[in-house]
C-alpha cells in the first residue's frame, strides 16, 4: 500500500470513534455524547482557555493531543472515569489498541501519534497537564447543565467527583477554582450527593 | 458576565453543533454524520495530510480553521453542497449566525474566530485553500466507501461531484489526483452516474 493509501486507511478507521459513546449527555439531553464530537469540543475549549494554563503552553500541541487522545477507545472502549474495575486493565487494553490503530499509518506518523497519546496519558508536561484539565472539566460542564444526569444515573457522589477532577488544578488553578465552586453549587442544589 | 463565564457560555452554545446533521453517512452506515464529529475528523485529516499541500502551510492555523468552520451551522444549518437554492441565501444566513454565535465570546476572541471562519470561506490563503481541500475530500471518502449512498439518495451525478470537488486541486494537486481517480472508479463501478 502506498503512503497516501495508508493514511486514508487510518482516516477511514477512525470514523469508528463516532460510535463510541460516553456517559455524558448532550446539553439538550437527547442522547449521549460520542468520543469524536467530544474530542472536537475540548480541542476548541483548549484553544479558547489556554490563557488559564498554569504555565505557558504550545497550544498547537495541546490541540493535537486532544484530537488524538481518545482514538484508542475504538478498540478499548470508553472507560467510565468512576469505573474502578474498568481501570484495572485500562492500560493494557489501551496499549494494544494504540499498537493496532496507530500502526495503520506510515511508521513515523504512527510514532508521532503514539507519542502524543502517551504524553497525554502521562500528564507530566505543561501541554499534557493542561489538556487533561480541559478533558476533566468538560464532563463537569455537561453535568452542571443537565441537572447532574450522568452522575445520578451512576450514583456518583461529591467525593468521587472531587477525587477525579481535583487534578484540573495541575494544569490550571483558575479552571479548578471554577470547577470547585460549581461542584459546591451542585451539592447545594441537590444535584450532587454530598459524602465528604 | 466575567470573561471565563462568557467563554463557558460559548463552549455550552457550540454543544449544539453535535445535532446538526450532514448528508454523509458514517462508514458503518448506521446514521448520518454530524458537523461536530466531522470537524474533528477533518482536523485530524489535515494534521496527517498537510505534506500534500501545494504550498507549505501553518498546520496550526489550518486545524484551528477546521475546528471553527462549521460552527455557524448551529443557526444557518448545513447547506448541502449540491443544493442550489440553499446556496442563494447561504452567505446572509451564515453571516447572521457568525454575528450571534461568535459574539458570545469576549470581543477579541470573537474577532479571532470570525476571522478564521472568514478566511476559510474566502479560500484565498494557502491555509484556507488546503483546509477547503480536506473539507471537500472527506465526503468523497464517505461516499466511495458506502457505495455512494448519499449521492444516490440525492441523485447526484459525476458532473456535480467534479464541479464541487475540483477545487481540491487549489489546495493540493495530489489529493485532487486521488479524488479524481476515485471518482472515475465510482463511475466504473456504477456507484456514481456518468453525465459528463
Amino acid at each position: 500500500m502506498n503512503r497516501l493509501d495508508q493514511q486514508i486507511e487510518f482516516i477511514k478507521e477512525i470514523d469508528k470513534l463516532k460510535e463510541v459513546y460516553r456517559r455524558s449527555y448532550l446539553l439538550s439531553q437527547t442522547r449521549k455524547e460520542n468520543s469524536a464530537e467530544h474530542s472536537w469540543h475540548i480541542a476548541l475549549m483548549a484553544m479558547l482557555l489556554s490563557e488559564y494554563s498554569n504555565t505557558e503552553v504550545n497550544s498547537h500541541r495541546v490541540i493535537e493531543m486532544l484530537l488524538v487522545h481518545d482514538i484508542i477507545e475504538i478498540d478499548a472502549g470508553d472507560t467510565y472515569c468512576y469505573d474502578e474495575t474498568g481501570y484495572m486493565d485500562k492500560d493494557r487494553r489501551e496499549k494494544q489498541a494504540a499498537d493496532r490503530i496507530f500502526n495503520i499509518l506510515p511508521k513515523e506518523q504512527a510514532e508521532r501519534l503514539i507519542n502524543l497519546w502517551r504524553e497525554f496519558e502521562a500528564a507530566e508536561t505543561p501541554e499534557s497537564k493542561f489538556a487533561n484539565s480541559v478533558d476533566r472539566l468538560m464532563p463537569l460542564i455537561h453535568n452542571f447543565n443537565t441537572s447532574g444526569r450522568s452522575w445520578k444515573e451512576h450514583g456518583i457522589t461529591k467525593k468521587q467527583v472531587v477525587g477525579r477532577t481535583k487534578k484540573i488544578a495541575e494544569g490550571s488553578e483558575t479552571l479548578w477554582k471554577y470547577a470547585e465552586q460549581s461542584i459546591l453549587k451542585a451539592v447545594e442544589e441537590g444535584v450532587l450527593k454530598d459524602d465528604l
Side-chain angles (χ1 to χ4, degrees), chain A:
Chain A
M1 217 189 278
N2 76 24
R3 182 172 170 87
L4 178 56
D5 286 336
Q6 284 180 293
Q7 291 161 323
I8 300 279
E9 271 312 297
F10 178 80
I11 287 159
K12 283 163 57 182
E13 176 65 26
I14 63 173
D15 204 62
K16 294 176 186 164
L17 195 60
K18 299 168 187 170
E19 295 186 277
V20 174
Y21 286 91
R22 296 163 49 82
R23 301 312 194 278
S24 299
Y25 284 87
L26 299 189
L27 294 181
S28 69
Q29 300 197 46
T30 48
R31 63 168 172 82
K32 287 179 180 161
E33 188 188 30
N34 72 59
S35 292
E37 62 198 3
H38 161 72
S39 300
W40 163 78
H41 207 171
I42 58 175
L44 248 165
M45 197 169 167
M47 182 175 153
L48 294 167
L49 302 184
S50 63
E51 66 192 88
Y52 304 116
S53 174
N54 293 340
T55 34
E56 207 173 313
V57 284
N58 175 336
S59 174
H60 187 38
R61 209 158 88 247
V62 174
I63 291 172
E64 288 195 328
M65 218 177 279
L66 290 172
L67 292 175
V68 164
H69 84 295
D70 270 347
I71 288 176
I72 44 88
E73 294 183 358
I74 289 171
D75 285 356
D78 175 47
T79 307
Y80 188 40
C81 59
Y82 302 110
D83 171 6
E84 288 176 20
T85 323
Y87 261 74
M88 284 171 65
D89 67 340
K90 182 174 176 280
D91 279 4
R92 187 189 52 76
R93 284 183 290 118
E94 295 191 345
K95 263 178 203 139
Q96 281 179 355
D99 270 354
R100 184 190 74 77
I101 304 166
F102 292 126
N103 282 311
I104 298 171
L105 283 168
K107 193 166 162 32
E108 97 286 359
Q109 285 196 323
E111 278 171 10
R112 188 171 162 241
L113 266 55
I114 288 175
N115 286 338
L116 279 169
W117 169 69
R118 282 195 189 136
E119 184 180 343
F120 176 84
E121 287 293 314
E124 284 165 355
T125 61
E127 280 77 14
S128 57
K129 280 181 187 169
F130 185 66
N132 272 278
S133 297
V134 171
D135 189 40
R136 284 168 197 238
L137 179 58
M138 193 76 245
L140 287 182
I141 294 176
H142 274 109
N143 266 296
F144 297 150
N145 294 283
T146 58
S147 308
R149 183 155 171 192
S150 77
W151 287 336
K152 285 177 187 166
E153 281 185 1
H154 298 89
I156 304 302
T157 63
K158 181 184 171 189
K159 194 174 166 183
Q160 287 172 293
V161 173
V162 171
R164 166 78 190 165
T165 58
K166 65 184 179 212
K167 273 201 148 190
I168 292 173
E170 291 178 23
S172 169
E173 291 288 350
T174 308
L175 295 183
W176 167 242
K177 206 174 130 194
Y178 171 85
E180 201 179 20
Q181 286 170 346
S182 306
I183 291 169
L184 293 177
K185 195 160 163 265
V187 169
E188 261 174 42
E189 290 172 359
V191 158
L192 182 62
K193 206 183 147 190
D194 193 357
D195 62 345
L196 265 186

